[in-house]
Amino acid sequence: MDVVKEGDYVLLWHSNEIKVIAVAKRGLVIGTVRGILRLDDILGKPYGSRIVTNLGHTFYITKPNIIDVLLKMPRVTQPIYPKDTSALIIMLNVRPGSRILEAGLGSGYAASLLAMHLKPLGQLISIERNSRYIAVAKKTLRTMEVNDVVDIINGDIAELALPEEYFDSALLDMGDPWRAIPIVIKALKHGGNLAVYVPTISQVEKVIRSMVDSNFIDIKMIEVNWREWKTTINEVRPKTWNLSHTGFIIVAKKP
């Protein structure tokens, strides 16, 4: 029987609007609008069972989604949101065994999701200039259990000597990616894709110009909008708040 153990991430669900993702720890007490949850009461309980608050409201004890856990991790930069990472995984042809280059590790959110699709034999090499970001990202990668396929380099990609025609694809998530594009094309295998993630149009134009000047082909740009709907019976409609623009994804291919 699969039971809650100390240190597990758990989802305590009352409704779509009232739910808690927490680490099961002895002595931890969580306050909600439906009452107090004492995590001592869930240790050793089977997943799928229920817990009742001091106000008499029931919460299901279940396992969280990958994204639930990832979004609980500390962040030191604006991360690439999962809605965008899901598109990047497809557009970069990420698969088990791929070699991926990333510049701009940040908090490690995108790296975690990319690495999950590379296991067990793939490799993600991530380059990050800020050592403080690296320290935070390493904790995230360990929590998400993907640190074994991620190699981190503290440095500036524009100043590094990368192996030629080594990577299957590359992702740039940095403030000035146009500096790195002429270097990345040499490091990509023929047919490999480069994706650049930037939040503003002024950055987009510089990225596209650098891609053209570096002889990339098949340049395209997308924006991913996520529209969630309310699923309450007799009230099914779009939610009032939705996650809209987060960034632009520009993708190009090395011929």
Side-chain angles (χ1 to χ4, degrees):
M1 182 181 295
D2 198 359
V3 301
V4 179
K5 300 179 292 296
E6 189 158 15
D8 284 354
Y9 275 88
V10 293
L11 168 61
L12 303 171
W13 187 95
H14 174 272
S15 67
N16 282 2
E17 289 71 37
I18 304 171
K19 53 187 174 181
V20 176
I21 293 99
V23 178
K25 292 182 180 177
R26 294 190 186 279
L28 183 60
V29 176
I30 298 173
T32 77
V33 295
R34 293 293 183 265
I36 292 172
L37 294 163
R38 299 183 185 279
L39 297 202
D40 279 350
D41 297 339
I42 73 170
L43 290 171
K45 278 199 169 187
Y47 283 102
S49 56
R50 292 174 286 186
I51 183 174
V52 179
T53 69
N54 64 311
L55 298 181
H57 295 278
T58 298
F59 282 71
Y60 282 92
I61 304 167
T62 188
K63 295 186 177 184
N65 294 330
I66 292 168
I67 299 305
D68 293 331
V69 176
L70 184 60
L71 293 179
K72 293 289 286 185
M73 296 296 102
R75 61 180 71 176
V76 287
T77 59
Q78 181 66 43
I80 298 181
Y81 281 89
K83 71 180 182 70
D84 296 317
T85 308
S86 60
L88 286 167
I89 288 168
I90 295 171
M91 300 182 80
L92 291 176
N93 297 312
V94 179
R95 67 191 74 184
S98 295
R99 289 177 183 155
I100 309 295
L101 172 66
E102 178 190 45
L105 173 63
S107 303
Y109 282 31
S112 294
L113 293 174
L114 289 170
M116 286 177 191
H117 290 77
L118 297 174
K119 295 185 79 169
L121 300 176
Q123 179 188 35
L124 174 67
I125 294 181
S126 186
I127 302 168
E128 173 56 61
R129 287 179 279 195
N130 192 312
S131 57
R132 184 170 67 90
Y133 296 173
I134 290 174
V136 172
K138 281 183 175 179
K139 294 179 181 178
T140 298
L141 294 169
R142 284 196 297 269
T143 298
M144 304 308 293
E145 300 180 346
V146 293
N147 54 301
D148 57 328
V149 295
V150 182
D151 295 309
I152 300 172
I153 298 172
N154 185 192
D156 185 338
I157 186 173
E159 298 174 359
L160 296 176
L162 298 175
E164 293 193 5
E165 297 182 17
Y166 180 81
F167 296 99
D168 297 293
S169 55
L171 168 63
L172 300 179
D173 177 24
M174 48 194 289
D176 50 0
W178 43 88
R179 293 173 53 242
I181 290 172
I183 297 165
V184 171
I185 193 166
K186 297 176 183 177
L188 283 174
K189 296 177 182 178
H190 292 286
N193 286 352
L194 164 65
V196 179
Y197 185 82
V198 291
T200 69
I201 285 293
S202 58
Q203 290 170 300
V204 166
E205 298 205 0
K206 292 180 181 179
V207 167
I208 293 174
R209 170 54 59 191
S210 183
M211 285 177 166
V212 170
D213 290 345
S214 299
N215 296 317
F216 276 98
I217 64 171
D218 198 22
I219 301 171
K220 56 177 74 73
M221 183 174 83
I222 68 165
E223 180 184 19
V224 180
N225 290 313
W226 185 280
R227 188 184 191 190
E228 191 171 350
W229 285 57
K230 188 174 182 180
T231 54
T232 305
I233 298 299
N234 297 322
E235 294 183 45
V236 178
R237 58 175 175 78
K239 284 193 172 182
T240 303
W241 184 89
N242 275 290
L243 187 60
S244 184
H245 174 76
T246 47
F248 299 105
I249 298 171
I250 310 103
V251 181
K253 181 178 290 293
K254 177 177 179 176

